[in-house]
Amino acid sequence: MNQQQSVQNQELISLAEKMRPACFHDYIGQEKVVGSNTILQQLLTKGHIPSMIFWGPPGCGKTSLTNIISKISKEMHGEKVNIINLSATSSGVSNIKNIINKTKTESKFNQIIVIMDKIHRFNKLQQDIFLPHVETGTFTLIGTTTENPSYSLNSALLSRCRIFALNKLTMLNIVEILCKAISSINGEIYNFSLKNLSTNLENNLNFSSKPHFFINKTAIDWLAEVCDGDARVALNDLELAIKIKISNKLNSNFVSITLEDVKESVKQTHMLSDKQSNNIQHLYSALHKSIKAGKENASLYWLARIMDIKEDPVDIARRLIRISSEDVGLADLDALGIAIHTLHGCEMIGMPECDVILTQCVVYLTRAPKSQLVYNALKRVENIIINHKGPQPVVPLHIRDRSGQEKIHTTFGFHKENVLTKEENVENYLPLGLLHANFFSEDS
């Protein structure tokens, strides 16, 4: 391949692909999963790569993590490890069988790693193909999914894999990624007006000697906010804005990308179909927020958009079940039952007949009174457990399993009333350090 062909091939690679990190040092976000003291880092440092599932929203760094793990494996084991990248959207059970048959005839590999993108696209029967081979160590499975593994993946497969939940990237994460991308393609960021930009260029101030383009910091911040934590969307929109502005350049001495330019590129990007632009998560978010706000016309519109792209009605119903509990909650005890019946109705008759069932449920939830009392209380409990230092409090003796208590008391020869503390005798059901906690109050 000559140099010209190599340059052309590089131009065909998207900015999002070019920005994939090669090591954890370059990886941005997900500190709770890839931080220095995390389980994943400790496993990889020891050279142990278990079967695992990365679960998180689009553009949060799942595929980047699998790429980093692949590179670490190659560095540690060289030619003794075989990395096989597959996608459940274009692969089937036959591909897995071919890998297994090939493994039986080739003994040069100490480890085979199968990376399966969008593993939730395999139904639960298809996922059975992985089970015996993950169990026996024929290969290590690394899957990525945007769907909750609890309902999208085979429970037997889940029990054999470690699950790592990735969060939506923060706005600061996205800004950092965009700034790094701009620097990598010889761009410069400015914080002032175009007039001041021209003056600074004439005086050769603040910028590198030959910048390829300039972009306003306000545009970066706006893009980081509207991409909803999806780094891929942010990078694609940025790349399109740059290409459009450079292609339209006349005789100007510099190319400047403003907030208006970025907004125009985002508009053009979303003229693609929702499936093509990976917009489904945004549609679900719009439906959820419209129901929560009680805006029934908006709720109907976003539901129709989701149904128009042929989304599985059962998946839609699952989202409605979550909304019925998270946002309606105790304010309307019938809401959860209606959402569950909606799911069963969708399973029984499918599309297009179940469209009105989904619509009825959406309208009901939108009009229902709202309460996040239960959701907020649960979050307060989770925060206390996560932030607790040291071992978690023990279960008070008087609410432990009775059979276990009887064995302890018989063995040591004392009676229950002799081992209860003063606090336990007044029938408290929380650990001593939490006796006065009220998780249903914002002050707790």
Side-chain angles (χ1 to χ4, degrees):
M1 181 185 295
N2 59 40
Q3 187 174 359
Q4 184 178 358
Q5 288 176 320
S6 178
V7 171
Q8 289 175 343
N9 288 340
Q10 281 295 315
E11 290 177 351
L12 293 175
I13 300 174
S14 69
L15 181 59
E17 195 62 36
K18 291 176 183 175
M19 291 307 299
R20 287 206 186 279
C23 61
F24 283 116
H25 181 266
D26 296 328
Y27 190 85
I28 297 172
Q30 310 302 343
E31 289 81 5
K32 290 185 178 180
V33 175
V34 301
S36 57
N37 295 319
T38 58
I39 293 175
L40 182 59
Q41 279 278 21
Q42 292 172 10
L43 289 170
L44 296 176
T45 301
K46 295 176 182 178
H48 177 57
I49 300 177
S51 289
M52 50 190 161
I53 305 293
F54 292 125
W55 165 40
C60 70
K62 301 184 295 296
T63 303
S64 294
L65 266 182
T66 63
N67 288 349
I68 292 172
I69 292 171
S70 297
K71 291 181 184 296
I72 291 174
S73 301
K74 286 291 185 182
E75 289 170 1
M76 287 184 170
H77 305 291
E79 298 301 320
K80 292 293 183 180
V81 63
N82 185 21
I83 312 290
I84 302 169
N85 287 282
L86 299 172
S87 173
T89 58
S90 57
S91 305
V93 171
S94 59
N95 297 90
I96 307 301
K97 289 181 178 178
N98 291 337
I99 292 169
I100 296 163
N101 293 333
K102 192 174 181 181
T103 302
K104 291 177 180 178
T105 58
E106 294 184 1
S107 58
K108 64 179 181 178
F109 298 117
N110 290 340
Q111 185 178 26
I112 296 174
I113 299 176
V114 176
I115 298 174
M116 180 61 75
D117 188 32
K118 298 181 178 64
I119 192 170
H120 60 274
R121 292 293 187 91
F122 270 24
N123 63 45
K124 293 185 178 181
L125 288 176
Q126 289 175 308
Q127 291 167 22
D128 282 340
I129 188 67
F130 297 115
L131 290 177
H133 310 293
V134 170
E135 182 75 35
T136 59
T138 304
F139 56 73
T140 298
L141 174 67
I142 301 179
T144 67
T145 177
T146 57
E147 299 295 330
N148 188 334
S150 297
Y151 69 76
S152 63
L153 298 184
N154 188 313
S155 58
L157 181 61
L158 282 179
S159 68
R160 290 161 174 80
C161 298
R162 288 182 177 271
I163 310 298
F164 293 98
L166 279 63
N167 296 318
K168 183 191 299 184
L169 292 177
T170 66
M171 181 179 170
L172 290 177
N173 291 150
I174 301 294
V175 168
E176 186 178 354
I177 291 169
L178 291 174
C179 290
K180 192 173 182 179
I182 290 165
S183 177
S184 73
I185 54 178
N186 199 23
E188 294 280 1
I189 301 169
Y190 67 93
N191 286 297
F192 29 76
S193 68
L194 285 174
K195 182 179 179 181
N196 290 336
L197 175 60
S198 300
T199 303
N200 279 323
L201 278 172
E202 291 173 3
N203 297 325
N204 197 26
L205 299 175
N206 300 325
F207 297 118
S208 56
S209 57
K210 291 183 179 180
H212 185 50
F213 65 92
F214 301 90
I215 184 166
N216 195 308
K217 179 63 164 57
T218 306
I220 297 171
D221 292 340
W222 182 85
L223 190 55
E225 184 177 2
V226 301
C227 75
D228 196 28
D230 191 328
R232 187 187 299 107
V233 168
L235 288 167
N236 288 342
D237 288 341
L238 172 67
E239 183 177 26
L240 182 59
I242 294 169
K243 286 182 175 179
I244 290 173
K245 199 62 186 281
I246 290 177
S247 65
N248 293 337
K249 179 178 68 172
L250 299 176
N251 296 321
S252 176
N253 292 325
F254 65 93
V255 174
S256 172
I257 298 166
T258 65
L259 174 60
E260 288 68 30
D261 295 326
V262 172
K263 286 183 176 180
E264 183 61 29
S265 74
V266 170
K267 187 188 299 182
Q268 292 195 30
T269 299
H270 292 284
M271 286 171 66
L272 300 171
S273 74
D274 292 314
K275 279 291 189 184
Q276 288 174 322
S277 60
N278 201 17
N279 203 31
I280 186 62
Q281 295 298 327
H282 301 316
L283 294 178
Y284 274 121
S285 176
L287 174 62
H288 188 160
K289 290 173 182 175
S290 298
I291 292 174
K292 183 177 179 180
K295 305 296 184 181
E296 58 186 35
N297 288 305
S299 299
L300 273 178
Y301 174 77
W302 295 119
L303 172 65
R305 284 278 297 276
I306 293 171
M307 292 192 296
D308 184 59
I309 58 174
K310 312 304 180 188
E311 185 73 356
D312 187 340
V314 174
D315 286 341
I316 302 173
R318 286 194 183 107
R319 307 272 180 153
L320 297 179
I321 291 174
R322 170 70 187 195
I323 294 169
S324 70
S325 188
E326 178 180 329
D327 294 299
V328 177
L330 299 179
D332 185 341
L333 296 177
D334 292 330
L336 179 58
I338 288 171
I340 291 172
H341 284 307
T342 298
L343 184 143
H344 292 324
C346 291
E347 288 177 330
M348 283 190 289
I349 64 175
M351 280 293 195
E353 287 81 3
C354 73
D355 57 355
V356 71
I357 300 176
L358 288 168
T359 304
Q360 180 176 330
C361 182
V362 164
V363 172
Y364 185 94
L365 296 178
T366 305
R367 292 182 175 182
K370 306 296 189 296
S371 169
Q372 286 196 312
L373 182 69
V374 172
Y375 175 78
N376 292 333
L378 176 60
K379 289 301 175 185
R380 293 186 188 108
V381 176
E382 289 174 347
N383 286 334
I384 285 178
I385 293 171
I386 291 171
N387 296 322
H388 181 80
K389 295 181 180 179
Q392 294 292 338
V394 299
V395 179
L397 286 174
H398 70 290
I399 57 173
R400 291 185 187 179
D401 177 61
R402 280 188 173 276
S403 60
Q405 287 179 356
E406 288 169 2
K407 290 178 183 177
I408 292 173
H409 301 150
T410 303
T411 303
F412 291 97
F414 50 73
H415 297 288
K416 178 180 176 182
E417 48 270 19
N418 293 332
V419 296
L420 289 178
T421 65
K422 181 180 178 181
E423 289 83 358
E424 288 172 327
N425 272 318
V426 296
E427 295 297 304
N428 287 309
Y429 288 81
L430 281 168
L432 294 181
L434 297 171
L435 291 181
H436 303 292
N438 180 6
F439 303 118
F440 295 93
S441 169
E442 293 184 2
D443 298 326
S444 64

